[in-house]
Amino acid sequence: MIGLVYGPKGSGKTKEILRRANDALEVCKGNIVYITDTSEYTQSIPTAIRYVNAAEYLPENGRIGEEAMLGFIKGVIASNSDVTDIFIDGLARMLRESADNLEEFFVRLDGLSERSGVKFCISLTCDKLPVFLKKFS
């Protein structure tokens, strides 16, 4: 399952995904991981949630491709079989792609979610949600 938090820049997406991650602690029966590319929000996440600053693992040019991001996510899941929820804040920003260009990524992530049983919540900056993402909203 994939859930989305989307909207234009400055619309409160990070605040919303942080709220959802914190709320997940109340109902989650496994481990929660929060992935972003900054350390700015470490104080907003309880220590019960694994905070991952993906920027620490990015290549020198600061851009991570879709394949590498999927591999990174698979590594998170493979390293801890108790992970049940993954929150990704700023996916398009980390990939340096427009949400319109992420259809294949979401198809593959949806398949990974089905196979692993891990739920994803992803924030995306976009003014209008692409048609292929409407099933996740």
Side-chain angles (χ1 to χ4, degrees):
M1 181 182 124
I2 300 174
L4 295 177
V5 176
Y6 64 94
K9 186 174 174 72
S11 62
K13 295 177 301 299
T14 294
K15 184 177 179 180
E16 175 62 17
I17 199 169
L18 286 168
R19 183 193 65 74
R20 290 185 187 189
N22 283 303
D23 289 351
L25 278 176
E26 309 272 329
V27 296
C28 183
K29 293 184 179 4
N31 293 335
I32 301 170
V33 179
Y34 186 93
I35 301 171
T36 190
D37 59 350
T38 179
S39 294
E40 185 175 344
Y41 306 107
T42 54
Q43 300 303 313
S44 303
I45 295 287
T47 56
I49 296 175
R50 172 75 170 118
Y51 190 96
V52 178
N53 179 356
E56 295 174 2
Y57 306 99
L58 293 173
E60 287 183 25
N61 67 4
R63 183 184 186 281
I64 186 168
E66 292 179 35
E67 192 69 36
M69 178 58 93
L70 284 166
F72 186 81
I73 293 166
K74 288 176 183 178
V76 167
I77 295 169
S79 70
N80 182 347
S81 60
D82 293 329
V83 170
T84 57
D85 295 78
I86 296 178
F87 293 81
I88 304 173
D89 186 19
L91 177 67
R93 179 183 65 239
M94 284 189 271
L95 296 175
R96 293 191 182 168
E97 284 287 348
S98 162
D100 295 328
N101 297 331
L102 296 176
E103 184 170 8
E104 180 62 26
F105 180 88
F106 276 93
V107 166
R108 294 177 67 195
L109 188 66
D110 193 33
L112 175 61
S113 177
E114 287 180 24
R115 288 188 310 278
S116 67
V118 174
K119 294 181 278 184
F120 292 89
C121 183
I122 299 173
S123 74
L124 284 172
T125 298
C126 58
D127 293 323
K128 182 180 174 195
L129 194 64
V131 172
F132 68 89
L133 289 176
K134 292 203 187 273
K135 73 178 187 175
F136 303 119
S137 63

